[in-house]
Amino acid sequence: MTRVSWVTAFLDLPPDVHAVGTHFWAAVTGYAVSPPRGEEAEFTTLLPPVGDPYLKIQRTGCDDASAAGPGLHLDLHVASADHSAAGAQGLGATVLHRSEHGYVVLRSPGGFTFCFVHEQLSDRPLPTRWPQQHESIVDQVALDIPADDYETECGFWAALTGWPVRGSVSRPELRHLVRPDGIPIRLLLQRLGGEAVGPVTGHLDLACDDRPTEVSRHLGLGATLVADHGGGWTTLRDPTGALYCVTDRDPRSGLGR
C-alpha cells in the first residue's frame, strides 16, 4: 500500500488542440494558466485562486501515441516514487520510465498510465461560485474499464492506495474509492458495457449543485452535448474531442445528493 498525499489529473493534449483545450478548461474551472515550463515548454498548470493546484496540461509530441487524440493520466503524490513504484509492480503494474527528475511513469494492469511524483501539496481548493449563483468543481477522474479487466483493475487501485472501495446500489457498474479528507480528485471505477476492449482510459467529471445551469455554461464555452442521462449526469464533449461529465454530486463533498 502506498500513502498517496495528493492526486493531480493531467490532460494530455496533442499540439493541434493544445491551445483550444487549455483555454476551454481554464474557462470551465475559472483558474488561471501558469507560465509554461519543461524542456519544450510543454507543461502548464491550472491555478485556482485559493488552494493548491491539482489540474495540469501537457502538450504531447507528434508521435504515434499522441496521434490518437487527447488523453488523461494521473499523478499520485508520494514520499518516495521508487519505493511506491516497487510496490505497484508487486500489484501488477509495469514501469514505463524512470525520470532523472525523480518521477516514475507506470501502467496499471489494465493499461492506464499514471505517475508517482514527489511534489507535496495539501490545500484542497473549494468549488468555484459562478455569477449564476451555483457552484461547480472538477473533482473526479472516472476510469473507463472494459468488463474483462474490471475486477482486476478495481483490486489494483484499492490495494495501491489503501482506499476502501464502495459500490453503487442503483448502478452496479460503478464503484468509487473513498478518498481521504483533503484529496482533490476522487477515483470512480466504471465498468464498460458491450464488447468494449482495449486499455483502460479516463475522463474528467465535475460536481455541481445546478446541473442544467452548469451544462448551459459549458455549451456557451464551446462544449458539445452528447447525452443527458437524466439520472444525475450529462455527458459532454470538449473542443478537443474528449468526453467528460457534469454530475449532480455535492461539489463540497463529492458525494451524491
Side-chain angles (χ1 to χ4, degrees):
M1 184 182 72
T2 293
R3 183 183 180 278
V4 177
S5 62
W6 193 259
V7 178
T8 294
F10 238 113
L11 296 174
D12 301 317
L13 302 181
D16 60 333
V17 295
H18 176 262
V20 68
T22 300
H23 177 79
F24 176 79
W25 285 102
V28 161
T29 58
Y31 296 172
V33 181
S34 75
R37 64 191 182 282
E39 295 179 357
E40 300 180 5
E42 69 272 34
F43 298 115
T44 53
T45 300
L46 298 182
L47 302 170
V50 178
D52 288 327
Y54 66 100
L55 297 171
K56 297 185 179 183
I57 298 171
Q58 175 177 229
R59 187 184 67 250
T60 56
C62 297
D63 54 20
D64 291 341
S66 65
L72 182 151
H73 75 268
L74 291 173
D75 279 4
L76 305 181
H77 298 236
V78 296
S80 169
D82 286 335
H83 177 78
S84 296
Q89 286 180 288
L91 296 171
T94 301
V95 171
L96 303 178
H97 175 65
R98 295 182 186 272
S99 169
E100 62 183 13
H101 301 293
Y103 65 85
V104 182
V105 184
L106 304 97
R107 182 179 291 139
S108 75
F112 185 78
T113 300
F114 66 100
C115 301
F116 286 124
V117 301
H118 294 127
E119 185 180 18
Q120 296 301 300
L121 304 171
S122 60
D123 189 4
R124 176 184 168 191
L126 293 173
T128 301
R129 188 157 189 86
W130 301 102
Q132 300 93 331
Q133 301 305 305
H134 75 290
E135 292 186 335
S136 69
I137 189 169
V138 176
D139 74 331
Q140 183 167 266
V141 166
L143 299 183
D144 300 311
I145 307 169
D148 288 347
D149 295 324
Y150 190 66
E151 294 300 330
T152 298
E153 202 72 1
C154 288
F156 171 79
W157 288 101
L160 183 70
T161 61
W163 300 350
V165 179
R166 295 288 183 268
S168 169
V169 174
S170 60
R171 304 198 65 87
E173 74 277 17
L174 298 179
R175 300 175 190 170
H176 73 271
L177 299 184
V178 181
R179 61 179 172 177
D181 291 342
I183 299 289
I185 292 286
R186 189 173 92 144
L187 296 184
L188 181 72
L189 306 163
Q190 177 171 272
R191 185 181 69 242
L192 299 177
E195 302 299 321
V197 294
V200 176
T201 58
H203 68 264
L204 294 179
D205 288 344
L206 292 94
C208 69
D209 55 13
D210 185 340
R211 181 160 51 100
T213 299
E214 179 70 359
V215 167
S216 178
R217 188 177 73 85
H218 287 229
L219 296 177
L221 294 172
T224 302
L225 179 66
V226 175
D228 186 341
H229 300 279
W233 84 98
T234 300
T235 302
L236 300 164
R237 192 181 302 277
D238 77 9
T240 75
L243 296 175
Y244 70 99
C245 296
V246 176
T247 77
D248 283 334
R249 292 175 299 106
D250 187 313
R252 300 271 170 162
S253 69
L255 301 177
R257 294 186 286 115

